């Protein structure tokens, strides 16, 4: 997989994807949507009462899934010191009022990527992103990379070791996706900075 972003000027970017790249990226984003879950309305398509949504309160506990906990971390406290009651209460309060919006943004970003890829008609092609769409893609790529990093138990120290995995290693396909997403993310950052 070699498709990387190029600058189109003014914070916009273009990405040429072959059919396999588009399929893999779409599949990963659909899995991200499933991981994040539907919105408060149940299906994420806006069937909830808009007034009730304004006053909806989110969860107060961090997600049990480590990948979701990485995407929606506690805002306060040291995870190494869970006995800090005051920090735990502050984190719960912060989560209660912010997590639903954060989930909605992450869901919208992933859905935007899926729809962009659907615009290719199931084939490869050129994805053209204006400045706003580029930022949505950047968020969605970051979320995918963070999630795969958690699933692969990647740490800063062992990221370089991922390049040397033997072909028979069961993690190899996920590692290849993780590294490709990192390259995509980096190229998009460079493209929007030009």
């Amino acid at each position: 997989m070699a498709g990387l972003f190029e600058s189109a000027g003014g914070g916009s970017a273009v990405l040429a994807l072959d059919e396999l790249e588009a399929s893999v990226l779409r599949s990963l984003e659909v899995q991200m949507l499933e991981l994040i879950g539907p919105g408060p309305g149940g299906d994420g398509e806006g069937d909830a009462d808009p007034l009730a949504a304004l006053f909806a309160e989110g969860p107060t506990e961090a997600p049990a899934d480590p990948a979701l906990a990485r995407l929606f971390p506690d805002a306060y406290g040291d995870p190494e010191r869970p006995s800090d009651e005051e920090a735990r209460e502050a984190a719960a309060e912060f989560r209660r009022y912010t997590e639903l919006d954060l989930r909605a943004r992450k869901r919208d970003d992933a859905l935007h990527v899926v729809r962009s890829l659907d615009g290719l008609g199931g084939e490869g092609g050129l994805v053209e992103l204006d400045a706003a769409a580029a930022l949505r893609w950047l968020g969605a790529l970051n979320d995918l990379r963070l999630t795969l990093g958690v699933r692969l138990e990647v740490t800063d120290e062992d990221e370089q070791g991922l390049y040397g995995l033997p072909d028979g290693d069961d993690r190899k396909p996920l590692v290849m996706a993780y590294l490709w997403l990192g390259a995509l993310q980096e190229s998009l950052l460079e493209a929007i900075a030009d």
Side-chain angles (χ1 to χ4, degrees), residues 6 25 29 35 95 111 113 125 135 140 145 155 179 186:
E6 294 181 16
L25 189 53
E29 288 296 353
L35 178 66
R95 180 179 300 282
L111 190 56
V113 172
L135 291 176
R145 193 159 185 271
T155 64
L179 295 172
E186 184 176 340

Side-chain angles (χ1 to χ4, degrees), residues 83-97:
S83 62
D84 186 354
E85 184 65 30
E86 187 175 311
R88 209 169 52 235
E89 287 175 10
E93 189 74 3
F94 185 82
R95 180 179 300 282
R96 186 168 126 205
Y97 293 111

Side-chain angles (χ1 to χ4, degrees), residues 123-175:
E123 301 175 8
L126 193 65
V127 176
E128 299 178 54
L129 306 174
D130 61 23
L135 291 176
R136 295 183 92 169
W137 270 67
L138 189 59
L141 291 172
N142 186 60
D143 291 342
L144 279 176
R145 193 159 185 271
L146 286 173
T147 301
L148 285 178
V150 169
R151 296 289 191 239
L152 292 166
E153 299 177 348
V154 174
T155 64
D156 291 337
E157 297 82 39
D158 66 8
E159 187 167 323
Q160 289 300 318
L162 296 177
Y163 291 96
L165 281 180
D167 288 339
D169 193 309
D170 291 340
R171 299 174 298 159
K172 186 82 173 202
L174 285 180
V175 167

